[in-house]
Amino acid sequence: MKNIRLIARLDIKGANLIKGVHFEGLRVVGDPQEYAKKYYFQGADELLYIDAVASLYGRSKLAQIVRNTAEDVFVPMTVGGGIRTVEDVHDLLQSGADKVAINTAAVRRPELISEVAKRFGSQCIVLSIEAKQQGPDHWEVYTDCGREKGGLDVSEWARRGVELGAGEILLTSIDKEGTRKGFDLSLTRTVTDVVKIPVIASGGMGNPQDVVNVVHKADADAVAMAYSLHYDRFTIGEIRAAAHEAKIKVRAFEKY
Amino acid sequence: MRNTEVAVINYGIGNLLSVRRGLECCGARVSVTSEPEQILLADRVVLPGVGAFADGMEGLKTSGLDKVVHELVKKGTPLLGICLGMQMLMDESEEFGLSKGLGLIPGRVIPVPVLTSEGNPLKVPHIGWNELVFPEGHYQWGNSLMEGIKPGDAVYFVHSYMALPDNPAHRIADCIYGGNFLAATITRDNVTGCQFHPEKSGEIGLKILSRFLND
């Protein structure tokens, strides 16, 4: 079995690290680079940058933030928000990103997934799905950081994304996002049941047991964490220890 | 050795920012360059790379950099190939038909097995953090690029093909994926290659880059 990845998620607005609840009421947390560095030294397996408003306003400061982060962070970085073209992807990869996460532009024009996969490889493209529950076992895809209905069923879209060449799925529960009430296990299970590519569970992480649950009960390949880390409720080291304790395979990490 | 001059060969492929920063972080003075003179004058040379083998070799050849690499290896400059840069050190690759490599380490580049050692389907590319282990017949990493690294230390991989040196002695570190042993670090005289990305492998990766600079 492969290592379960512990990913620090940094949502960005302009030049700031922000955090909201259900993607709303966004509050400034601080300087993203400082937090990125902190999580790198805590042993994050990857970093995930999402520009929360990029798809709304078009241009983004993300490339510069990524470039600055690459100065002293030496783990893989996935970057998303406002990516519309293969050229946008190229620019972010040149800035030090290893993968890109695409949501809105892929919903509007699914071929973008194939174009990116063909040019840079499937390992480079993460399909970002923002899901909101509509009824029992039914989740709808949202775009523009939880603001717009995408008109697609989540598991259908996940399956389609794989066909188009996505290498990974970032699955964010809008209902759980920022609540610290635990990951949406049934949503995650619904997607891990229909795709073979890795699924990153995101939204709702409140304590280390939530990580254990989403891996054991919903088969997540990776977890993204934001609130708990930003507000120092837990360190990545504590989460890693709890996962290890629960017999979940995680990367061996010790400080040199 | 601080202020070691390192040339990172730029042949128009891939993201070189992280490689540059990783080396700088270890105290090197780095130039990302395609100038033969600059490459030949450097204390150390890094051959990076992502993408397809044939494209990489083509990129080197059109600018005459393949000859430059041979020249610097001949005069004893330590060379480190990373990912595709490591694969290009070999004689040839099976990726998209047979393509000729630099021939600095005898052997070929073959696909990562699509089955586990028990015959079950295995996901390729091999992506993510994986632990370094001793290949068969190796029991220590002293006096090599891996000096100071411990079996079980994890580094970051992204690849669909892998190097297979003819001489097992040229293979100094492996990783295990789906029960199969894949070459992670290979070496012959002043030529070394890493299949993983040291510049994306946290402090362990920086330690390896540091060792390369101080060798």
Side-chain angles (χ1 to χ4, degrees), chain A residues 169-186:
Chain A
I169 289 174
L170 166 65
L171 181 62
T172 307
S173 160
I174 298 171
D175 307 296
K176 296 287 183 151
E177 206 273 334
T179 64
R180 290 182 285 121
K181 287 183 177 159
F183 295 99
D184 191 329
L185 300 182
S186 34

Side-chain angles (χ1 to χ4, degrees), chain A residues 98-158:
Chain A
D98 299 276
K99 313 180 218 179
V100 293
I102 306 185
N103 170 18
T104 306
V107 170
R108 292 194 187 135
R109 206 171 63 80
E111 312 80 66
L112 179 61
I113 300 173
S114 309
E115 291 165 16
V116 174
K118 204 164 163 215
R119 170 97 178 265
F120 305 102
S122 279
Q123 83 286 343
C124 238
I125 170 128
V126 179
L127 176 61
S128 167
I129 301 180
E130 287 160 8
K132 197 166 180 160
Q133 188 149 24
Q134 305 296 319
D137 295 322
H138 178 219
W139 290 266
E140 186 178 339
V141 173
Y142 273 62
T143 62
D144 300 275
C145 240
R147 283 179 290 264
E148 306 286 338
K149 277 170 168 273
L152 299 164
D153 172 73
V154 166
S155 56
E156 290 285 314
W157 179 227

Side-chain angles (χ1 to χ4, degrees), chain A residues 2-3 5 40-41 44-46 67 70-77 93-99 123 196-198 221 249-252 254 256, chain B residues 14-18 21-22 24-25 123 125-131 148-150 152-154 156 158 177 198-204 206-207:
Chain A
K2 284 184 80 170
N3 287 330
R5 287 168 292 151
Y40 167 66
F41 282 111
D45 294 326
E46 290 180 26
R67 203 170 297 132
E71 288 283 314
D72 37 30
V73 164
F74 301 102
V75 290
M77 289 192 275
L93 296 179
Q94 289 299 316
S95 305
D98 299 276
K99 313 180 218 179
Q123 83 286 343
K196 287 209 174 80
I197 60 173
D221 299 272
K249 195 169 177 289
V250 282
R251 166 168 73 110
E254 58 180 282
Y256 273 78
Chain B
N15 154 37
L16 304 175
L17 180 70
S18 301
R21 276 301 305 150
E24 282 174 352
C25 201
K123 281 181 202 173
H126 167 225
I127 307 176
W129 293 87
N130 203 346
E131 284 103 40
I149 303 299
K150 296 190 300 290
D153 283 346
Y156 188 76
V158 182
Y177 184 53
E199 77 281 13
K200 290 286 175 181
S201 297
E203 302 297 299
I204 303 275
L206 295 183
K207 206 169 176 175

Side-chain angles (χ1 to χ4, degrees), chain A residues 225-238:
Chain A
M225 304 169 282
Y227 196 113
S228 304
L229 299 179
H230 301 341
Y231 293 105
D232 283 321
R233 288 172 179 270
F234 298 97
T235 65
I236 292 169
E238 285 163 344

